[in-house]
């Protein structure tokens, strides 16, 4: 467990690429507070074992905050519309606050074009994707209607012209029954 301004905190960084995880681990300036793990978030058994093991160390059932940076397009291209929606459902269920940086549709086209220039076939799902166009808007709609999240703020754009969308679990306004 590490400290920032006197506040105890622990961070877990995950990526499917073991080389990126190795580099991050080797250059980690705060090994007491930041750990890294190779994780294919789309593999339910891997996700369950890695994330539950991490959370149980801190006697937690969920994360306070999840950051999903430059990730949604790759999940979408490799797992299709259903994969993107499954990912959003899973990650929104893992945290109270969610920061998402969706890549715009032009990035999808660029990724497919780069593959073609390399002489490789395009992504399996690219031509069959129904979720396209304003991806940030589609992600916002799904998270706010199907995942019990509310959009707190659009935090502007990154240097790659990608929106940063900040969500939190919707605070329940349902009345509860009190027994006397």
């Amino acid at each position: 467990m590490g400290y920032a301004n006197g506040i105890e905190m622990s961070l877990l960084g995950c990526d499917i690429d073991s080389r990126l995880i190795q580099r991050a681990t080797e250059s980690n300036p705060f090994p007491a507070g930041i750990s890294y793990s190779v994780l294919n978030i789309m593999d339910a058994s891997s996700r369950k074992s890695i994330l539950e093991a991490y959370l149980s160390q801190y006697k937690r059932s969920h994360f306070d905050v999840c950051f999903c940076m430059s990730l949604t397009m790759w999940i979408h291209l490799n797992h299709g519309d259903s994969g993107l929606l499954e990912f959003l459902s899973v990650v929104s269920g893992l945290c109270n606050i969610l920061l998402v940086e969706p890549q715009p549709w032009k990035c999808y086209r660029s990724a497919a074009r780069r593959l073609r220039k390399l002489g490789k076939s395009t992504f399996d799902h690219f031509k069959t994707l129904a979720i396209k166009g304003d991806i940030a808007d589609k992600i916002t709609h799904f998270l706010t209607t199907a995942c019990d999240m509310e959009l707190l703020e659009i935090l502007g754009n990154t240097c790659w012209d990608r929106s940063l969308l900040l969500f939190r679990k919707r605070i329940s306004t349902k009345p509860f029954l009190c027994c006397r």
Side-chain angles (χ1 to χ4, degrees), residues 75-91:
I75 288 173
H76 200 188
L77 287 171
N78 288 295
H79 297 276
D81 290 332
S82 62
L84 175 63
L85 300 180
E86 175 190 348
F87 165 74
L88 293 169
S89 292
V90 165
V91 77

Side-chain angles (χ1 to χ4, degrees), residues 81-152:
D81 290 332
S82 62
L84 175 63
L85 300 180
E86 175 190 348
F87 165 74
L88 293 169
S89 292
V90 165
V91 77
S92 66
L94 289 171
C95 61
N96 293 326
I97 296 174
L98 175 62
L99 182 70
V100 181
E101 178 202 29
Q103 293 98 321
W105 185 249
K106 67 182 179 182
C107 293
Y108 286 65
R109 291 192 311 262
S110 294
R113 190 170 36 256
R114 281 193 307 272
L115 270 184
R116 284 193 305 274
K117 283 183 180 180
L118 293 172
K120 298 180 180 180
S121 62
T122 190
F123 297 95
D124 291 341
H125 298 281
F126 183 70
K127 291 183 177 170
T128 61
L129 295 177
I131 300 172
K132 50 177 117 179
D134 188 342
I135 301 296
D137 185 59
K138 305 271 174 48
I139 286 174
T140 298
H141 179 75
F142 182 76
L143 287 171
T144 57
T145 59
C147 299
D148 206 29
M149 301 291 280
E150 62 181 326
L151 179 65
L152 290 179

Side-chain angles (χ1 to χ4, degrees), residues 1 9 13 20 26-27 35-36 40 51-52 55-57 62 76-78 87 110 116 119 128 139 151 162 168 170 180:
M1 178 112 22
M9 64 170 45
L20 290 177
E26 290 168 357
S27 63
S35 56
Y36 297 94
N40 176 356
L51 298 180
E52 282 184 5
L55 288 167
S56 70
Q57 294 176 63
H62 64 280
H76 200 188
L77 287 171
N78 288 295
F87 165 74
S110 294
R116 284 193 305 274
T128 61
I139 286 174
L151 179 65
R162 298 178 188 162
R168 77 168 169 201
R170 191 169 280 121
R180 293 182 189 201

